[in-house]
Amino acid sequence: MSIHLLKLLGIIAGAMLVAQAALAQDPLSMTAVRVDQDDTGTTTYSLSLQILALMTALTVLPSIVLGMTSFTRIIIVLSILRQALGTQQTPPNQVLIAIALFLSFAIMTPILSKIYDSAITPYLAEELSADDALVQSTTLLKDFMVANTHEDTLLMFSDMAEEGNYTAVADIPLSVILPAFITSELKTAFQIGFLIFLPFLVIDMAIASILMSLGMMMLSPMLISLPFKLLLFVLVDGWSMTVGSLAATFALGTGG
């Protein structure tokens, strides 16, 4: 057993020596991962590091969509609406996610346009460093999140982080604004869902009372009330009203 272990260690040591010799003969291979800083203090990254940063950003993109945009509020309200209608899995989850995703894109378009104009375009033109572009885009997202975050929730997470008062939106760390924003979105979404649920609850109660007065207690009130709820929802153009009202509840911030 010890002989096999010694052979394995010998193979590993030999591979390390070969790799070291190859690097010594080809110094250009070390340029794949490089961070340079010029006299002005501007930091530049090699292509490999830029690709690594891009792949990392694509990996965390679903978390960004869920935690830093309007997606959470919209999908929760749409789910509560489906439950209030009593249509079980209609519309299916895929349709609700698609509606929430495209509506979020429509709501976030002004913010995304500002990020593209003030951060991405100067970075691609090499007028802005990667660090400055990241700070600029993050500040614009922070401005949107602060505009849609309840003040008491933001103060609660600020106290939990033992941070003082902030003089500007850019001074708020992501560790504070992200949980405050997502908590505020949950609170707002349930408030809107409660208001949407009320008229359908009234219909359910009215149908249940009528069936009970007729002695038809074995008949499910949900089965009878479903067509009336669908009729009411269609007559008031419920989808357009819900989507339009949801879009109107978001504040886009001041852009700074």
Side-chain angles (χ1 to χ4, degrees), residues 30-110:
M30 296 295 295
T31 63
V33 180
R34 188 181 71 252
V35 179
D36 298 328
Q37 189 170 8
D38 56 16
D39 298 334
T40 61
T42 303
T43 303
T44 58
Y45 301 91
S46 62
L47 181 61
S48 299
L49 288 179
Q50 294 180 15
I51 295 176
L52 178 62
L54 178 61
M55 297 302 295
T56 304
L58 292 177
T59 303
V60 300
L61 183 60
S63 300
I64 294 176
V65 172
L66 288 175
M68 303 178 70
T69 67
S70 56
F71 182 85
T72 300
R73 183 188 305 184
I74 296 171
I75 192 64
I76 290 177
V77 171
L78 293 180
S79 300
I80 294 177
L81 173 61
R82 183 178 64 181
Q83 186 175 358
L85 285 170
T87 53
Q88 302 301 323
Q89 294 298 320
T90 305
N93 293 330
Q94 293 85 348
V95 175
L96 292 185
I97 292 175
I99 295 173
L101 187 62
F102 289 120
L103 183 57
S104 299
F105 180 76
I107 294 172
M108 298 297 296
T109 294

Side-chain angles (χ1 to χ4, degrees), residues 153-164:
T153 305
L154 183 60
L155 291 176
M156 180 187 70
F157 282 97
S158 176
D159 293 337
M160 290 173 59
E162 297 181 354
E163 298 281 348

Side-chain angles (χ1 to χ4, degrees), residues 54-250:
L54 178 61
M55 297 302 295
T56 304
L58 292 177
T59 303
V60 300
L61 183 60
S63 300
I64 294 176
V65 172
L66 288 175
M68 303 178 70
T69 67
S70 56
F71 182 85
T72 300
R73 183 188 305 184
I74 296 171
I75 192 64
I76 290 177
V77 171
L78 293 180
S79 300
I80 294 177
L81 173 61
R82 183 178 64 181
Q83 186 175 358
L85 285 170
T87 53
Q88 302 301 323
Q89 294 298 320
T90 305
N93 293 330
Q94 293 85 348
V95 175
L96 292 185
I97 292 175
I99 295 173
L101 187 62
F102 289 120
L103 183 57
S104 299
F105 180 76
I107 294 172
M108 298 297 296
T109 294
I111 307 298
L112 297 177
S113 299
K114 292 179 182 179
I115 292 175
Y116 182 80
D117 294 336
S118 61
I120 298 179
T121 300
Y123 172 72
L124 295 178
E126 298 183 354
E127 299 174 357
L128 203 65
S129 64
D131 294 337
D132 294 336
L134 182 61
V135 169
Q136 180 67 20
S137 58
T138 304
T139 300
L140 291 173
L141 284 175
K142 285 181 181 179
D143 186 74
F144 169 79
M145 289 188 288
V146 169
N148 294 278
T149 302
H150 298 286
E151 184 177 356
D152 55 346
T153 305
L154 183 60
L155 291 176
M156 180 187 70
F157 282 97
S158 176
D159 293 337
M160 290 173 59
E162 297 181 354
E163 298 281 348
N165 295 327
Y166 305 106
T167 58
V169 173
D171 298 334
I172 305 176
L174 289 176
S175 59
V176 173
I177 185 58
L178 283 177
F181 173 73
I182 198 69
T183 304
S184 297
E185 287 294 283
L186 291 173
K187 179 180 179 181
T188 305
F190 277 92
Q191 289 174 344
I192 298 174
F194 171 75
L195 296 177
I196 291 177
F197 213 107
L198 280 180
F200 300 106
L201 180 62
V202 171
I203 294 176
D204 287 334
M205 294 178 62
I207 296 297
S209 300
I210 293 174
L211 291 178
M212 186 172 294
S213 63
L214 294 176
M216 305 172 65
M217 292 177 291
M218 300 300 295
L219 186 61
S220 174
M222 296 293 296
L223 182 64
I224 304 300
S225 63
L226 178 58
F228 293 98
K229 290 190 288 187
L230 292 178
L231 178 62
L232 173 65
F233 195 68
V234 170
L235 289 178
V236 300
D237 196 8
W239 286 113
S240 298
M241 182 181 299
T242 303
V243 170
S245 301
L246 270 175
T249 59
F250 288 95

